């Protein structure tokens, strides 16, 4: 990935003081009393439209076990990594391209007492700074849309997994009926959005050397959630606790565009569980 392409992606996501804003929003909503847990943070730190529910669906595919070394590719501010580490008792490495997101992830790890179970690494999914066979499982949620070089994305995931280990991923892909509306949560415009169709994605995964265990075009299944989210955003605006703390109020338009584009066949939702041959 060129430096210019990386910096265009980072510019879309970066802002300063992310963890401070998130912790302040949580306190303002719930008072000072409650502990800061991965569940309490979930409306603010799972950066995908369907929130914690999407991470739970991914985890039910991944089935992590206690003590395993798990890699989250494009872990954002670490919400999914903290939730997986706390729920399954494993060690999660959250790798992300955006420095401000990595700093926020570290601060939120400290606030939840999970710094010893969630490691944050700054780097690119297409050039992972890890050894071969280093991880027992890997996952990636809503990251591939920012990655132009899909061949390297899947090849790098394969390289760092031990033989026989699985990789679960879910992300938006191209739909059959043309281009989505921009801006979207992952990109202000097409210059940083790289959408493959479900069929192309399947081919990319196989070309990298993975075996496919589960591969779903999940678009129809998630449409009711996306439609309901669009209706709420239209009728009531942003919820009191939500991704606006991370991304600003522009997230409302982003999420409406996701839902409308998916409803009209201009985005798909892809979910898969693939395995590195033993
Ligand atoms: C929509 S967010 C999803 C974050 C996280 N997976 C989650 O679900 O909460 C996309 C993330 O991908 C990261 N990203 C984009 N391109 C990347 C790359 N080449 N390598 C690593 N991370 C990348 C961004 O910095 C951002 O944190």
């Amino acid at each position: 990935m060129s430096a210019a392409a990386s910096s265009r992606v980072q510019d879309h996501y970066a802002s300063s003081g992310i963890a401070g804003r998130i912790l302040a929003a949580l306190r303002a909503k719930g008072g000072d009393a409650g502990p800061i847990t991965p569940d309490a943070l979930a409306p603010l730190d799972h950066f995908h439209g369907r929130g914690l529910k999407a991470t739970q669906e991914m985890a039910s595919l991944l089935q992590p076990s206690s003590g395993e070394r798990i890699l989250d590719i494009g872990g954002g501010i670490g919400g999914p990594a903290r939730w997986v580490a706390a729920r399954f008792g494993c060690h999660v490495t959250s790798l992300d391209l955006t420095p401000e997101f990595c700093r926020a992830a570290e601060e939120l790890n400290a606030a939840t007492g999970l710094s010893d179970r969630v490691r944050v690494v700054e780097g690119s999914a297409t050039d992972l700074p890890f050894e071969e066979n280093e991880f027992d499982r890997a996952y990636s949620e809503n990251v591939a849309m920012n990655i132009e070089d899909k061949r390297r994305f899947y090849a790098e995931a394969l390289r760092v997994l031990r033989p026989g280990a699985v990789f679960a991923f879910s992300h938006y892909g191209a739909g059959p009926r043309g281009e989505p509306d921009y801006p979207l949560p992952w990109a202000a415009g097409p210059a940083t959005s790289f959408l493959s169709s479900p069929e192309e994605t399947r081919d990319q995964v196989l070309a990298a050397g993975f075996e496919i265990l589960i591969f779903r075009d999940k678009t129809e299944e998630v449409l009711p959630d996306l439609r309901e989210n669009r209706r709420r955003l239209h009728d009531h605006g942003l919820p009191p606790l939500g991704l606006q703390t991370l991304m600003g109020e522009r997230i409302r338009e982003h999420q409406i565009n996701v839902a409308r584009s998916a409803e009209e066949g201009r985005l798909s939702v892809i979910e898969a569980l693939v395995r590195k041959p033993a």
Side-chain angles (χ1 to χ4, degrees):
M1 190 178 195
S2 74
S6 290
S7 103
R8 276 200 301 272
V9 171
Q10 291 167 20
D11 286 349
H12 174 74
Y13 291 113
S15 63
S16 57
I18 292 171
R21 290 201 303 275
I22 285 180
L23 294 172
L26 198 61
R27 277 190 217 103
K29 181 83 189 346
D32 281 330
I36 297 170
T37 62
D39 280 312
L41 281 174
L44 300 153
D45 67 358
H46 291 244
F47 185 5
H48 36 257
R50 296 171 59 250
L52 179 57
K53 187 173 173 184
T55 298
Q56 287 167 332
E57 290 170 5
M58 181 284 300
S60 73
L61 277 187
L62 188 70
Q63 300 195 356
S65 296
S66 174
E68 283 185 330
R69 300 153 305 165
I70 313 278
L71 174 63
D72 181 339
I73 303 176
I77 60 170
R82 282 183 292 278
W83 189 84
V84 166
R87 168 78 180 73
F88 298 97
C90 41
H91 296 273
V92 184
T93 297
S94 179
L95 173 291
D96 201 273
L97 186 71
T98 304
E100 291 80 355
F101 275 18
C102 292
R103 298 299 79 74
E106 282 165 346
E107 288 175 51
L108 295 172
N109 288 348
T112 48
L114 284 164
S115 299
D116 58 341
R117 300 258 293 285
V118 180
R119 170 171 69 135
V120 179
V121 176
E122 194 182 311
S124 176
T126 53
D127 192 12
L128 291 173
F130 307 118
E131 300 296 321
E132 267 180 41
N133 307 338
E134 198 172 321
F135 294 96
D136 298 310
R137 290 168 208 267
Y139 66 91
S140 185
E141 291 185 271
N142 277 9
V143 178
M145 304 90 74
N146 282 135
I147 310 255
E148 183 169 20
D149 190 344
K150 306 281 197 253
R151 190 189 64 76
R152 277 197 68 94
F153 176 69
Y154 294 113
E156 280 293 88
L158 183 94
R159 182 180 66 77
V160 302
L161 282 171
R162 66 166 168 74
V166 293
F167 175 36
F169 61 83
S170 60
H171 57 252
Y172 288 98
R177 302 209 175 79
E179 286 295 302
D181 296 327
Y182 290 94
L184 289 163
W186 59 90
T192 47
S193 181
F194 307 100
L195 301 174
S196 299
S197 68
E199 298 72 27
E200 289 165 340
T201 303
R202 177 187 271 276
D203 290 346
Q204 290 156 1
V205 166
L206 290 172
F210 279 112
E211 301 165 349
I212 292 182
L213 302 179
I214 295 170
F215 192 96
R216 289 190 200 125
D217 177 344
K218 218 178 159 176
T219 319
E220 286 302 318
E221 194 183 321
V222 306
L223 272 182
D225 285 350
L226 296 181
R227 208 174 272 129
E228 173 57 16
N229 195 33
R230 182 157 79 96
R231 189 196 61 73
R232 271 201 307 262
L233 289 167
H234 265 303
D235 295 354
H236 307 292
L238 290 160
L241 274 188
L243 290 175
Q244 67 271 22
T245 311
L246 177 60
M247 292 297 287
E249 304 233 330
R250 61 188 168 140
I251 197 71
R252 177 172 181 271
E253 184 188 5
H254 294 173
Q255 291 188 335
I256 288 173
N257 284 345
V258 165
R260 192 189 306 105
S261 300
E263 286 167 49
E264 295 176 1
R266 293 179 289 117
L267 279 178
S268 59
V269 179
I270 300 161
E271 177 184 82
L273 181 72
V274 301
R275 182 171 57 200
K276 177 169 177 170

